[in-house]
Amino acid sequence: MKRIILFGAPGSGKGTQAEKIEREFSYMKISTGDLIRAEVNKKSVIGEKIKEFNVKGLLVPDEIIVEMVKKRVSAEDMTEGYILDGFPRTLDQVKGLTSVPVDEEIAIFLKVVDEDIVVKRILSRVSCENCGEIYNTVTQLPNKANICNRCGSELSRRSDDTEEIIKKRIIVYRDETLPVINYYRGKGNLHELDASGDINKVWKEIRELVR
Ligand code: AMP
């Protein structure tokens, strides 16, 4: 079992690259943001509990997200491995993840130094609520206006993709998740890529690391 972890600020391209890895290799993408949005939309008991954090751009409590991830990685379709998009985001989540053994782990940091780039990317992002496919109204349009190429559902903007909430999410990323990235860097197995430019250039580098 292989585990690929994608780190990076909101808007650094984790979701887009996770999709590409899932399509090319037999690893399953686990986006904790998607898992959370699905629970919130379903209005499940957990969804109601975590909604407040999610809409404000705050992290949902560690114990809830760790449970969700553990349940997902133990599903039957996880045979070859999985890609984590958006997890772990705190040092306590790292502890939770460490208790799930794998044969190989690849950690990749999608680095974007210029904050304006990520804010711009997020403000022009639209995605499919049904399958999670991500588009960009400037650089990556769907074939048919506002319709997902992959599943035909309608595209929409995420409710937390407003300028105010993005700023909050970036602060949370700096405070909570940079220490996690530093921890992986300290372990000596972090691959750091410049993710400020072309998506396909980043993808070529990731493909070499993953294969
Ligand atoms: P994302 O789709 O990765 O940008 O995540 C969107 C939102 O989901 C975040 O702002 C958090 O509210 C929540 N979220 C996603 N992943 C996590 C996580 N690992 N821990 C806590 N909250 C998370």
Side-chain angles (χ1 to χ4, degrees):
M1 180 77 71
K2 197 187 251 190
R3 173 157 68 216
I4 299 151
I5 309 178
L6 295 181
F7 288 114
S12 59
K14 300 186 295 298
T16 301
Q17 298 296 342
E19 287 278 347
K20 287 181 177 290
I21 302 171
E22 185 181 59
R23 251 179 240 177
E24 175 116 354
F25 301 93
S26 35
Y27 309 130
M28 305 290 289
K29 166 186 154 180
I30 303 175
S31 154
T32 44
D34 285 350
L35 292 179
I36 286 167
R37 283 184 288 277
E39 292 298 328
V40 171
N41 289 339
K42 267 197 289 187
K43 298 189 164 57
S44 67
V45 177
I46 291 185
E48 292 296 302
K49 239 191 240 178
I50 59 183
K51 189 177 164 188
E52 280 311 299
F53 299 97
N54 188 231
V55 295
K56 288 182 188 152
L58 301 174
L59 296 182
V60 311
D62 289 328
E63 57 282 8
I64 295 179
I65 194 73
V66 168
E67 260 332 288
M68 284 168 100
V69 171
K70 280 189 173 170
K71 197 170 155 206
R72 186 67 194 96
V73 299
S74 60
E76 273 174 15
D77 56 350
M78 279 322 148
T79 49
E80 308 263 327
Y82 52 90
I83 313 140
L84 293 174
D85 157 19
F87 185 92
R89 261 166 146 113
T90 68
L91 288 168
D92 277 337
Q93 292 179 15
V94 173
K95 272 189 210 148
L97 184 63
T98 311
S99 69
V100 181
V102 280
D103 306 309
E104 188 187 354
E105 186 175 77
I106 302 173
I108 302 171
F109 178 21
L110 302 180
K111 238 174 163 171
V112 183
V113 179
D114 184 349
E115 209 169 272
D116 287 346
I117 293 180
V118 294
V119 174
K120 263 196 208 138
R121 273 187 197 169
I122 298 175
L123 288 175
S124 54
R125 171 162 78 185
V126 284
S127 57
C128 176
E129 259 188 46
N130 182 46
C131 73
E133 185 86 350
I134 301 160
Y135 300 86
N136 183 294
T137 54
V138 182
T139 56
Q140 228 189 327
L141 284 163
N143 299 334
K144 212 169 148 195
N146 224 32
I147 298 292
C148 178
N149 294 346
R150 200 178 183 187
C151 74
S153 301
E154 210 167 305
L155 304 178
S156 58
R157 287 186 43 108
R158 278 171 44 180
S159 61
D160 60 345
D161 280 351
T162 64
E163 204 152 353
E164 192 193 341
I165 303 177
I166 296 166
K167 293 259 158 72
K168 180 73 208 164
R169 283 158 55 203
I170 291 173
I171 293 170
V172 170
Y173 161 76
R174 277 204 215 113
D175 292 349
E176 305 278 348
T177 310
L178 277 183
V180 174
I181 294 170
N182 286 332
Y183 166 77
Y184 276 83
R185 187 181 282 129
K187 283 207 303 179
N189 72 342
L190 184 69
H191 301 277
E192 308 198 30
L193 307 182
D194 174 8
S196 54
D198 182 49
I199 290 175
N200 289 318
K201 183 175 165 276
V202 180
W203 165 233
K204 278 187 193 142
E205 293 178 51
I206 292 182
R207 193 165 53 189
E208 287 313 307
L209 290 173
V210 171
R211 79 160 85 247

